[in-house]
Amino acid sequence: MTGYLRCPAPHCEHRVPAFGSRAAEEMTDHLVAKHQLPEVSASYQAQMLLPITGPRAVA
């Protein structure tokens, strides 16, 4: 499956490829480093994201 996870923070365009088991971990790291979320909250947010696929995944 090709697609990506998009950062849930407002006005943030950060994307992580949704391929493999590391996607949620990479998004968690981004949320902690760039948006100063506590790790527990960042992990929860990252795991609740659904991959964006289809024609929008190309954009």
Side-chain angles (χ1 to χ4, degrees):
M1 176 174 83
T2 59
Y4 61 89
L5 299 179
R6 195 174 124 220
C7 180
H11 311 292
C12 184
E13 295 295 323
H14 183 75
R15 298 175 181 180
V16 173
F19 183 76
S21 60
R22 286 264 317 141
E25 291 178 36
E26 289 179 28
M27 185 56 73
T28 298
D29 293 344
H30 167 76
L31 291 169
V32 169
K34 300 295 182 191
H35 302 292
Q36 291 81 39
L37 264 67
E39 185 149 358
V40 172
S41 297
S43 177
Y44 176 79
Q45 289 293 322
Q47 292 192 24
M48 292 295 109
L49 294 174
L50 296 174
I52 297 172
T53 60
R56 292 187 64 198
V58 178

